[in-house]
């Protein structure tokens, strides 16, 4: 990192369920109670240096938030260029649905290294793992997180082992292997892969980097919320539609907004957080509808949106808590609506969304039609990966260059 090295104001970590504190300077997985750990900072002390003016003068990447990130020593940062990601309006798509054309925006996370927002969380977690001397890491993955870990692990010179459901998108297998990771296809879902990783970690084979089973991926993902607030001149949108698998990004953004308020950068207003899932795998939506604080495992999970095919999320109580506190909701979308949303944004606005991103557009359309949101509500959809990481339907027509071409028919 260039320029002066701002100090991290990390103080300790705290169990998200019991509040029990653990020290910051040690390697941690889950809390002593077996629940996710959250990193805490001295926000009062950080306030003096982390002003809007100071932030504006720093490079526009996720490391500009160093005061409220856990990395203490800049030399530990493992970076591939985690740039700020843009907002893109879906003006025609919004207009066709009867909404204000300026009200619907996508935050396009596909621009990050390895083509997905997983770069944020993994860059942070690998940097922290390196600071603690970890050299072997394993993770269960639906594809994008594994691709990110393979890349950051290669950069850090670590041994990376990845376990994926056997129908993970093909490109992801290619990416993971290209970076030299050891990749296993498991005949099960991501939580089945997670059980293998946990067993290996318990045997001392590697460090388990599963989402929310270590405390730092969420700290990387929270930069989505920090960045979004700064880009919108500290005025948050009315709604955030987030494609929810493990929910790390949603929980992270919710944490980010609380920290920004404590820093005096935003007021008490919050966006309504909307957890979007596919009808074929909607444990959070089911729990939300039933008024529960935790979700049951979803059996026979199915959806083409691989990143949100997560039958059981360890941070379910945090996702449901944030959604409820924000006055938001959880919504499930049919598979066909994901496809039609992807087609519409691509054709009408030139924005090719990944299936998970398209699910958020389908959810926005559904919520508008059901009157859950208004046509002037400023909504941000998260497109968390580049669509080019997925197989896209090929609608081309074969053409024989040796035969006469009827140009009138083309
Ligand atoms: C493209 C994409 N969108 C959304 C998600 C879900 O993210 P989270 O685990 O933060 O809910 C994933 C996770 O794999 C993903 O790859």
């Amino acid at each position: 990192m260039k320029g002066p090295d701002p100090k991290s104001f990390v103080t300790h970590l705290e169990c998200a369920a019991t509040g029990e504190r653990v020290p910051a300077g040690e390697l941690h997985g889950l809390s002593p109670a077996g629940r996710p750990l959250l990193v805490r900072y001295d926000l009062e002390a950080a306030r003096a240096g982390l002003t809007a003016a100071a932030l504006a003068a720093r490079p526009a990447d996720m490391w500009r938030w160093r005061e409220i990130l856990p990395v203490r020593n800049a030399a530990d940062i493992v970076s591939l260029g985690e740039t700020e990601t843009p907002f893109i309006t879906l003006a025609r798509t919004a207009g066709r649905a009867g909404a204000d054309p300026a009200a619907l925006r996508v935050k396009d996370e596909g621009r990050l290294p390895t083509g997905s927002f997983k770069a944020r969380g993994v860059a942070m977690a690998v940097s922290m793992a390196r600071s603690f001397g970890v050299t072997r890491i394993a993770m269960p993955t639906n594809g994008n997180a594994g691709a990110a870990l393979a890349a950051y692990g290669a950069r850090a010179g670590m041994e990376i082992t990845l376990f994926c459901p056997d129908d993970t998108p093909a490109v992801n297998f290619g990416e993971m292997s290209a970076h030299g990771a050891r990749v296993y296809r498991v005949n099960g879902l991501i939580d089945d892969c997670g059980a293998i990783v946990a067993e290996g970690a318990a045997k001392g084979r590697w460090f388990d980097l599963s989402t929310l089973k270590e405390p730092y991926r969420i700290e990387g993902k929270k930069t989505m919320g920090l960045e979004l607030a700064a880009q919108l001149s500290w005025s948050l949108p009315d709604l955030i539609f987030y494609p929810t698998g493990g929910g790390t990004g949603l929980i992270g953004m919710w944490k980010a907004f609380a920290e920004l308020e404590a820093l005096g950068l935003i007021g008490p207003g919050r966006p309504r957080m909307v957890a979007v899932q596919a009808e074929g795998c909607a444990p959070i939506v089911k729990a939300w509808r039933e008024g529960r604080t935790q979700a049951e495992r979803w059996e026979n999970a199915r959806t083409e949106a691989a990143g949100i095919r997560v039958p059981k999320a360890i941070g379910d109580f945090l996702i449901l808590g944030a959604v409820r506190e924000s006055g938001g909701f959880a919504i499930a979308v049919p598979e066909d609506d994901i496809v039609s949303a992807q087609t519409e944004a691509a054709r009408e606005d030139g924005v090719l969304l990944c299936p998970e991103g398209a699910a958020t557009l389908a959810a926005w359309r559904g919520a508008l039609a059901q009157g859950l949101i208004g046509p002037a509500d400023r909504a941000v959809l998260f497109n968390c990966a580049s669509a080019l990481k997925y197989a896209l339907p090929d609608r081309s027509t074969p053409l024989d260059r040796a035969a006469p071409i009827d140009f009138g028919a083309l």
Side-chain angles (χ1 to χ4, degrees), residues 115-118 141-145 190 211 217 221 224 242-251 306-310 319 354-357 382-386 390:
S116 90
F117 70 154
K118 296 289 179 183
T141 171
N142 278 327
N144 288 328
I190 189 159
T211 196
R217 282 175 67 180
K221 286 264 195 97
M224 293 191 291
Y242 186 78
T244 306
T248 324
L250 191 149
I251 303 164
I308 53 175
R309 198 179 55 168
V310 177
I319 304 170
C354 66
E356 298 83 355
F382 269 85
N383 186 52
C384 295
S386 165
Y390 301 75

Side-chain angles (χ1 to χ4, degrees), residues 55 70 84 90 110 117 132 140 147 151 196 229 236 258 292 341 378 389:
L55 284 162
E84 188 173 275
L90 295 183
F117 70 154
F132 293 120
I196 299 169
L236 300 180
R292 294 178 194 265
R378 293 165 307 139
K389 301 190 85 171

Side-chain angles (χ1 to χ4, degrees), residues 20-38:
E20 185 181 346
R21 290 177 172 220
V22 297
E26 295 170 7
L27 182 66
H28 294 290
L30 289 166
S31 75
R35 310 296 286 277
L37 280 171
L38 298 176

